[in-house]
Amino acid sequence: MTFQDALSSASFRGPGFDHVRLFAAFIVLLHHCRGVQYFDFRDDLLLQYSAGFLDFGRFAVVIFFAISGFLVTPSLLRTGNVVDYAVHRGMRIFPALIVVVALTIFLLGPALTAEPLSSYFENAQTYRYGKNILTLVVDQLPGVNERTGTQLTINGSLWTLHFEVLCYIVLGLIGAIGLLSRRNVVLIAWCAFYAIYVAMCTMPSFAAALPARFSTFAGLFVYFGSGVLLYLFRERIPFSIGLACAAIALLLIALPFGGGPLAAPVCLPYIMVFCGLSQLPERVRLKHDISYGVYLIHAPVLFAFSLTFPDVRTWWVAALAVALVTSSLAYASWTFVENPALRKKKAAATWVNRGIKRILYPLRMRASTRASVPETRVAP
């Protein structure tokens, strides 16, 4: 049985992907809540086990990227319509992001700022935070500080969205130039990123010579690309619990001995896609996909909780409170923002395509008119 067979048996809807994403979202939530009690980021069991390679937060993030690569590839490969692909991705990412950023500026910020409200709303930094809507990360709002006056990061999870959008753009460009159907070429390109990633993780001097933004992108795109390849080669990749267990064992063996950079980009995406295609999660179906809402919302909730209850220093107490509030808000986000937006993505794509045709039509007419005018020659 292959991944293609598993997809066919599930009507090309992996029953477990919502579970995998929700698992990853709550791993990020718990990872951040541990900061209430453990101020040193090195107090992370996975980071210690993996010889400093991977903490739980990063672990969850690369799960998101691997799953995303596998799930966004089919529509682009099937239709080849980059506009539809871009609109669909935008309708998934931006509506909830816009709402969360706006509520952070106009509700959370005013509630927590130490500045007078008039000063808060007159400060350019307040509106600069709105750049997060474009995935251009701005961390602080004016007057939202610790008791010591140190400005705090309000939503530390947003940084990944910028690189996820970049991954979408790269995949869209690959599709636009027709390379997505040439999977061997995609495999070669991924191998180049894989080699760069391994070099970055094992050779500090090489990593230091690269731009920080590119290093971050390469470190995430290698997992996104693994997801893409798992779909492109789906009819050749076995859907095997034995292979999944072997991948888990290899990863567990490699991590403490410094082999994480070699094993993780190959093993981890396979394990997560296998879980996503598994039929077992059907027994506990999720009617609402709140994973993205949990990811977007939990950090501001934790931020507000920490400032409101500064004496709470037990991480699991904070995690329980934050998880309860975040889950409720994520449900509201799915119900009133995300799901309605997804229902309109086809209509939005049709509208954008028509707009593009209206813009291009006069240009094409002018070009055809010029081409049809016979060349005039001047007699000597």
Side-chain angles (χ1 to χ4, degrees), residues 105-127:
I105 293 173
F106 296 106
L107 184 61
L108 186 65
L112 298 177
T113 184
E115 293 188 3
L117 289 183
S118 58
S119 299
Y120 173 86
F121 285 111
E122 290 173 358
N123 196 317
Q125 178 66 21
T126 300
Y127 306 101

Side-chain angles (χ1 to χ4, degrees), residues 238-253:
F239 179 77
S240 165
I241 190 171
L243 189 56
C245 291
I248 293 172
L250 178 59
L251 191 59
L252 291 175
I253 293 171

Side-chain angles (χ1 to χ4, degrees), residues 80-320:
N81 191 319
V82 179
V83 174
D84 285 357
Y85 162 80
V87 172
H88 292 177
R89 292 297 88 218
M91 294 295 283
R92 185 67 185 101
I93 292 292
F94 291 106
L97 177 62
I98 292 169
V99 171
V100 169
V101 172
L103 290 178
T104 302
I105 293 173
F106 296 106
L107 184 61
L108 186 65
L112 298 177
T113 184
E115 293 188 3
L117 289 183
S118 58
S119 299
Y120 173 86
F121 285 111
E122 290 173 358
N123 196 317
Q125 178 66 21
T126 300
Y127 306 101
R128 197 173 295 122
Y129 188 87
K131 292 172 67 176
N132 284 299
I133 290 173
L134 303 176
T135 72
L136 302 174
V137 177
V138 177
D139 289 325
Q140 289 91 25
L141 283 170
V144 183
N145 310 321
E146 284 185 318
R147 292 178 179 179
T148 59
T150 304
Q151 281 199 310
L152 299 172
T153 298
I154 295 172
N155 196 339
S157 299
L158 296 183
W159 71 271
T160 64
L161 297 182
H162 179 73
F163 294 98
E164 185 167 3
V165 170
L166 288 180
C167 287
Y168 292 157
I169 291 172
V170 171
L171 183 63
L173 291 174
I174 292 173
I177 60 179
L179 290 181
L180 199 58
S181 58
R182 301 175 64 182
R183 59 188 184 182
N184 288 331
V185 176
V186 179
L187 175 61
I188 293 171
W190 179 85
C191 288
F193 267 94
Y194 177 69
I196 293 172
Y197 176 70
V198 172
M200 288 190 316
C201 294
T202 57
M203 301 167 56
S205 58
F206 177 79
L210 296 174
R213 188 180 178 193
F214 175 80
S215 298
T216 303
F217 171 74
L220 295 172
F221 184 77
V222 71
Y223 293 93
F224 181 87
S226 291
V228 173
L229 289 173
L230 286 173
Y231 185 82
L232 293 180
F233 289 90
R234 62 196 178 280
E235 80 282 359
R236 293 189 180 182
I237 300 175
F239 179 77
S240 165
I241 190 171
L243 189 56
C245 291
I248 293 172
L250 178 59
L251 191 59
L252 291 175
I253 293 171
L255 285 176
F257 296 101
L262 289 168
V266 178
C267 295
L268 195 56
Y270 180 88
I271 296 165
M272 294 305 151
V273 171
F274 175 85
C275 292
L277 293 175
S278 172
Q279 299 293 329
L280 183 61
E282 282 193 335
R283 299 179 182 179
V284 186
R285 291 191 177 185
L286 298 177
K287 296 182 180 180
H288 310 285
D289 182 11
I290 66 170
S291 58
Y292 184 50
V294 169
Y295 187 83
L296 281 182
I297 297 168
H298 79 275
V301 173
L302 175 59
F303 180 82
F305 178 87
S306 300
L307 288 185
T308 306
F309 304 101
D311 295 329
V312 176
R313 292 300 180 187
T314 305
W315 76 269
W316 61 266
V317 174
L320 285 174

